[in-house]
């Protein structure tokens, strides 16, 4: 099987189900940004030791593929596509709560940095926020499962807390933002 099809050479691509859309369509932007987020999560996971966070990031990557498959499916065709469940969001919330309970209270805004993995986790968080905005734009044009938006919103919270958790685990200083006084 060849990896290249040449069907996208004119700026069009196909959804699962056959519909053709321009590559800059909001639906393509939405699932493309989710795909970018998934790649960043993979990079972070590759830097983690085997353990709970490593396995949680693998679970998140699986859910992001679920989201991508849902968004890449033709909305005008009745097709079986994987879906999210409320329990997927609850899993993120439980892990956020567990990490937060073991972190010092947050008293300042935190600047991205302090360690490469911490910085990349913040990059993933900002890509997640962009994916959420793209999906919201798509939702304004065509109804999508609201759990996708909720999941992405909670995932960005998870990634923020994970960045703090990683910093603590590595002994890296959190880079606090201290505003200049006038």
């Amino acid at each position: 099987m060849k990896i290249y099809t040449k069907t996208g050479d004119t700026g069009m691509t196909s959804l699962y189900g056959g519909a053709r859309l321009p590559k800059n369509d909001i639906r393509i932007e939405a699932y493309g940004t989710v795909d970018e987020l998934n790649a960043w999560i993979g990079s972070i996971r590759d830097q983690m030791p085997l353990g709970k966070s490593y396995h949680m990031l693998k679970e998140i990557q699986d859910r992001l593929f679920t989201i991508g498959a849902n968004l890449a499916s033709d909305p005008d065709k009745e097709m079986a596509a994987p879906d999210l469940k409320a329990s997927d969001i609850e899993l993120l919330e439980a892990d956020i709560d567990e990490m937060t309970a073991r972190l010092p209270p947050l008293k300042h805004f935190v600047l991205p940095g302090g360690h490469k993995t911490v910085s990349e986790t913040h990059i993933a968080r900002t890509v997640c926020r962009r994916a959420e905005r793209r999906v919201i734009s798509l939702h304004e044009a065509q109804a999508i499962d609201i759990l996708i938006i909720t999941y992405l919103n909670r995932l960005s919270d998870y990634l923020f807390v994970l960045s703090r958790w990683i910093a603590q685990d590595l002994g890296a200083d959190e880079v606090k933002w201290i505003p200049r006084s006038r």
Side-chain angles (χ1 to χ4, degrees):
M1 174 181 188
K2 289 185 176 184
I3 193 69
Y4 57 91
T5 62
K6 300 182 183 181
T7 59
D9 290 353
T10 61
M12 300 291 285
T13 192
S14 295
L15 295 178
Y16 179 61
R20 303 275 300 158
L21 295 175
K23 289 185 176 184
N24 64 349
D25 184 90
I26 188 60
R27 180 171 290 277
I28 310 306
E29 287 286 338
Y31 76 71
T33 306
V34 169
D35 188 36
E36 179 184 354
L37 172 60
N38 206 335
W40 278 109
I41 299 290
S43 178
I44 296 162
R45 187 172 58 87
D46 287 346
Q47 298 173 59
M48 304 289 287
L50 284 177
K52 184 173 181 185
S53 294
Y54 179 91
H55 295 293
M56 183 65 168
L57 291 172
K58 170 64 168 65
E59 176 68 22
I60 289 166
Q61 286 189 286
D62 287 344
R63 295 299 65 78
L64 290 174
F65 241 80
T66 296
I67 290 170
N70 185 293
L71 296 174
S73 295
D74 186 341
D76 295 328
K77 289 203 173 173
E78 198 62 36
M79 302 180 333
D83 59 354
L84 288 176
K85 300 183 181 344
S87 60
D88 297 320
I89 295 162
E90 292 163 4
L91 182 64
L92 288 175
E93 291 171 347
D95 213 34
I96 289 169
D97 292 344
E98 185 178 321
M99 288 186 290
T100 301
R102 296 179 176 173
L103 288 167
L106 191 60
K107 296 180 180 177
H108 295 91
F109 286 104
V110 177
L111 297 174
H115 187 278
K116 178 179 175 52
T117 308
V118 173
S119 297
E120 287 189 2
T121 306
H122 279 286
I123 292 169
R125 175 185 56 79
T126 63
V127 172
C128 186
R129 286 288 190 209
R130 180 165 28 95
E132 181 184 11
R133 292 189 304 270
R134 297 291 189 269
V135 170
I136 290 168
S137 293
L138 173 60
H139 183 63
E140 289 172 351
Q142 301 173 342
I144 59 149
D145 184 350
I146 196 68
L147 284 178
I148 292 173
I149 296 170
T150 305
Y151 186 87
L152 292 171
N153 184 45
R154 205 68 77 252
L155 179 56
S156 65
D157 296 334
Y158 172 86
L159 291 168
F160 176 75
V161 174
L162 181 64
S163 72
R164 296 191 70 222
W165 179 258
I166 292 169
Q168 178 177 278
D169 190 51
L170 294 171
D173 288 330
E174 279 191 319
V175 183
K176 296 175 181 73
W177 178 64
I178 310 295
R180 287 188 290 209
S181 57
R182 294 177 192 224

